[in-house]
Amino acid sequence: MTDQAAGRAEQYRILLVEDDDGDALLVEELLYDTGLPHTLTRCHTAAEARTMLATRPVDCILLDLHLPDASGVQTVQAIQPDTQAAIIVLTGLDEPHAGVEALAAGAQDYLIKGKVEPDLMQRAVRYAVQRKQAERANAALQIGRLRAEENARLERGLLPEPLLSSTAVTASSRYYPGRAQALLGGDFLDVVQTDDGQVHAVIGDVSGHGPDAAALGVCLRIAWRALTLGGHRDQHLLHLLEQIHIAERTGSDLFTTCTLITLDPVRATLTLHLAGHHEPLLVTPDGVQEVTAAHGIALGIAPGLGKWPATTLALPARGALIAYTDGLIEGFADSVDDTRLGVEGLLRIVDAIRTPDSGTHLDQLIARTRTLNADRHTDDLAVLRLDWNTGPERRA
């Protein structure tokens, strides 16, 4: 770094809040004598300082404790909410405890008028700014830790471990929030296998983002698992889920799209119920295609009036079903233009991936869609892949 660049980097933006012209002149001369690269702005009252700080950020505030509209610790409390700057209070010789009280109120340092030399002023400004920066960094780190802990708790609720007793069917899943360091959204999925050998799966998407959508997604996912293990199926199950959705949602505008999947290895059938959700993809040795299935409306759109017809397909001896939320296909298909990926673009990507490992396949699929999207579309995405091998060679 050149000396000129270093000088720019060390330029301190200082605000002096002082109503006494004589004291203000002394501070101005003292700052000049420090040799500290700075710009100085002066305000006479706390109100004037708040107005200025709303449009002009500063690095350090030199704050007199006796202003026309604030006095003592109140001056710090009046200024602090409007700024991220370091605050150094200026106290008088007859105020032995005022500086300590100001530190307790959130100031970074205090100086006693009439007892400040240029070297002390320079160190005070530099150290106060550094301390404030460290405080902000620590606060951001703490927020990041809390967000990560919350994400981990929500993720355990949204994306549980599959309950599969047969090795003939395996499940792989992935989830990505739409924005860096974002809270999880309302995408959820689950897989269970019941005593009759059938594999049941759900993937869903609560409209909206953030903790409310995530909490509702967790509620619906847990309810689906309990109801499915309790023997509830198909349209009846969706009616129950809709009742739970309505009872638990925080606003009448929230709705949920989902797909119910029932894979029966014994009867070699695959049954789908779509509630406002798009069709999954069927992957076989012959290629990949979108399943043609009947549609029903999303949960919560017309409570009590929904109809969700079943679509039953013959199950190939070997293959995979990929179900996903719309965050996977609503991104852009090119890093330059605004064409959406869509189902056709997704089919091309899936068909081009040749890895036999299902988890690696999902990783490469998501990586390619996110690369094409270049972070321009920010919806959450969840993907569930069910693989089966029920052919004679597997049973042998």
Side-chain angles (χ1 to χ4, degrees), residues 62-326:
L62 300 176
L63 180 63
D64 181 39
L65 284 184
H66 298 286
L67 300 173
D69 55 349
S71 180
V73 174
Q74 292 180 350
T75 58
V76 179
Q77 298 169 339
I79 297 292
Q80 195 174 41
D82 298 288
T83 183
Q84 293 293 315
I87 297 177
I88 300 175
V89 299
L90 305 175
T91 70
L93 291 172
D94 57 345
E95 301 174 301
H97 303 296
V100 176
E101 293 173 354
L103 293 180
Q108 278 63 54
D109 205 345
Y110 70 94
L111 297 173
I112 300 176
K113 294 179 181 180
K115 299 186 67 175
V116 183
E117 299 296 330
D119 288 346
L120 177 58
M121 173 65 81
Q122 183 186 94
R123 288 196 300 271
V125 171
R126 288 186 184 275
Y127 293 168
V129 171
Q130 291 173 2
R131 280 195 293 271
K132 188 63 177 182
Q133 290 173 347
E135 288 176 10
R136 292 201 300 267
N138 288 334
L141 180 61
Q142 181 65 14
I143 291 172
R145 288 173 177 168
L146 292 174
R147 182 179 290 119
E149 292 173 1
E150 183 172 358
N151 279 0
R153 289 194 298 269
L154 288 172
E155 188 171 0
R156 286 194 294 271
L158 293 168
L159 311 172
E161 285 294 320
L163 292 180
L164 290 173
S165 57
S166 170
T167 58
V169 181
T170 60
S172 305
S173 64
R174 298 291 187 271
Y175 174 90
Y176 286 90
R179 296 163 303 282
Q181 297 185 336
L183 291 173
L184 295 176
D187 295 5
F188 61 93
L189 55 87
D190 200 358
V191 181
V192 298
Q193 189 168 16
T194 47
D195 293 338
D196 57 7
Q198 291 186 348
V199 175
H200 305 272
V202 64
I203 186 167
D205 183 1
V206 179
S207 61
H209 303 279
D212 289 341
L216 183 55
V218 171
C219 180
L220 291 173
R221 199 283 304 166
I222 294 173
W224 174 87
R225 177 175 281 204
L227 292 169
T228 298
L229 293 175
H232 298 277
R233 300 287 184 268
D234 308 332
Q235 287 210 46
H236 176 60
L237 174 55
L238 285 166
H239 279 295
L240 293 175
L241 289 176
E242 184 172 60
Q243 292 177 29
I244 295 170
H245 168 94
I246 294 169
E248 297 294 334
R249 67 184 178 183
T250 56
S252 59
D253 57 334
L254 284 180
F255 61 90
T256 298
T257 68
C258 67
T259 294
L260 300 188
I261 303 166
T262 301
L263 192 155
D264 191 331
V266 176
R267 296 182 176 84
T269 59
L270 179 68
T271 302
L272 302 173
H273 290 81
L274 305 182
H277 214 79
H278 36 69
E279 297 94 334
L281 307 182
L282 180 63
V283 183
T284 68
D286 297 327
V288 57
Q289 62 181 10
E290 185 179 34
V291 175
T292 301
H295 283 259
I297 62 174
L299 307 183
I301 296 292
L305 302 178
K307 301 294 181 182
W308 302 281
T311 299
T312 301
L313 310 171
L315 192 69
R318 182 163 58 91
L321 189 77
I322 300 177
Y324 54 91
T325 57
D326 54 13

